Amino acid sequence: MSITPEHPAALDRRTVLRRAAAVGMLATPAIGLLGACATSSNDGDNEQVAGGTKSEKNPLGVKEDAAIEVVIFNGGYGEKYATDVHEPLYKKAFPKAEVKHQATQAVSTVLQPRFASGNPPEFVNNSGEKLMDFGALVADGQLQDLTELWDAPSVDDPAKKVRDTVVPGTIEAGSFNGKPYVLYYVSTVFGIWYSGKLFKDNGWAPAKNWEEFIALLTAIKAKGITPYGYAGANAAYYQWNVILTHAAKIGGVDVLKNIDNLEDGAWQQDAVKQAATAWAEVGAKFSDKSFEGLKHTDVQLRQNQYKVALYPSGDWLEGEQKKDTPAGFDYQLMPVPSMSASDKLPATALRATAGEGYFVSAKSKNPKGGLEYMRQMLSKEGAKGFTEVVKAPTVVPAGSEGFAFPPGVASSQAALKAAGQDVFNLYFDGWYKELDTEARTATNELMFGRINADAFVERIQKRADAIKKDSSVAKFKR
């Protein structure tokens, strides 16, 4: 079942207010509620350009001289992949078109007023701490349906559709109730990161089970190094990801599916409680309470200085820290350890997905141009260029052929191969931003010792129940 956003006139005031707030439409009071919601393609200055002539080289029918605006989150992957690879590819395909570029570390701050005034950019890399709420954007009809893109012929082989050039699961990762709205572009593996040099120098080995993990943390602590850390100021997401990955290993992938689907009592499943209890012990005995006030780059820098041994993240970490990583540091990934021999999934199981979300604004002036920009990104040249710039694989396998990845990404790719079919993902954080925020807050409370596991799961469950009962929130299933 696909989402069919209600026409603004059919929405009650509470629904309109909630959605406007979620998408950031209340950020500019001068615009007014009615003006914020009435953002059709025919609104004044934002009238959409007419389509161009379809051809083999222009299968989407882009108007060849129509400008597009690209907004990139300038985070772990930077912006050079856009300015040096993807934007030039678009210009090469459409030399008469102007490509406007903007980079920011605060996507919602920059773009909320734009969406509120009905003048959004064509293409957005929606990521970082201040990303916009994907679920609310979908419910408000702000995102372009990507079906036309996925069904279009690929740049490299017109006989092959774009959907047939990406790894399985890519389209589903960006779909809401079966309809694709988001392109998750980077092949991302999550786990616990350490320095191969530090481990080799001290004779330590990555842990496969919980007994080994606690022994490893104890040995690290004895060396005067903080065994485990994450940044509470803005990266509690990294840690709830670890807790839920652990829960999936204990109880199986249905644990995560129940959470995503807002099933009754999903957060209070025994597997989640077991995982939360275990990680609360890590927070109490093997971390540093001062980390709650630090940002991710602060704690990551401490790891590069060999002051922190283990750090949870995705495999963007190595690229993000390349300026501060000492020679020979040798980033390596450790999957979240198993709890016991009775776990439903093996020690090698891990969370991996297409990550880093991009969308086309349905109410921009040139959405066809935004779709074509994505088509160029998904070409072999676009994917290869991205990988060469940021040293991370994309969802286009052809783009990584023959590429020698740095140690950390090579490690994560080896872990992904070792996991085989035991790879899973979760979606609630992209579907329900309020639930993600609650999970982050509760995770800090748990890891820094202010609540126990029972209170942790109860708190998040309460928010999940409220969202489930709120008819103004669009619901998604998998």
Side-chain angles (χ1 to χ4, degrees), residues 137-154:
L137 287 167
V138 170
D140 255 358
Q142 298 287 348
L143 303 193
Q144 181 73 26
D145 183 347
L146 302 183
T147 301
E148 185 179 8
L149 164 73
W150 294 121
D151 287 338
S154 67

Side-chain angles (χ1 to χ4, degrees), residues 5 21 39 45 51 69 145-146 156 233 259 281 369 396 408:
T39 54
D45 294 338
E69 186 177 0
D145 183 347
L146 302 183
D156 303 298
I259 286 173
E281 179 186 3
V396 182

Side-chain angles (χ1 to χ4, degrees), residues 57-84:
K57 291 186 177 181
N58 185 13
L60 295 173
V62 177
K63 191 171 187 296
E64 296 188 5
D65 61 351
I68 66 165
E69 186 177 0
V70 175
V71 177
I72 298 295
F73 169 64
N74 192 5
Y77 299 125
E79 61 176 310
K80 284 180 66 63
Y81 71 86
T83 58
D84 295 6

Side-chain angles (χ1 to χ4, degrees), residues 204-237:
W204 299 327
K208 294 182 180 179
N209 59 53
W210 201 249
E211 183 179 354
E212 291 178 359
F213 190 60
I214 295 300
L216 173 62
L217 295 175
T218 302
I220 293 170
K221 187 174 182 179
K223 283 284 187 176
I225 301 170
T226 301
Y228 187 89
Y230 76 94
N234 70 335
Y237 157 76

Side-chain angles (χ1 to χ4, degrees), residues 261-282:
N261 290 343
L262 300 178
E263 299 291 348
D264 293 342
W267 284 91
Q268 294 169 308
Q269 296 171 97
D270 186 61
V272 181
K273 287 186 180 180
Q274 285 189 50
T277 299
W279 285 97
E281 179 186 3
V282 172

Side-chain angles (χ1 to χ4, degrees), residues 108 142 305 307 328 353:
S108 60
Q142 298 287 348
Q305 296 169 339
K307 296 176 181 178
T353 183

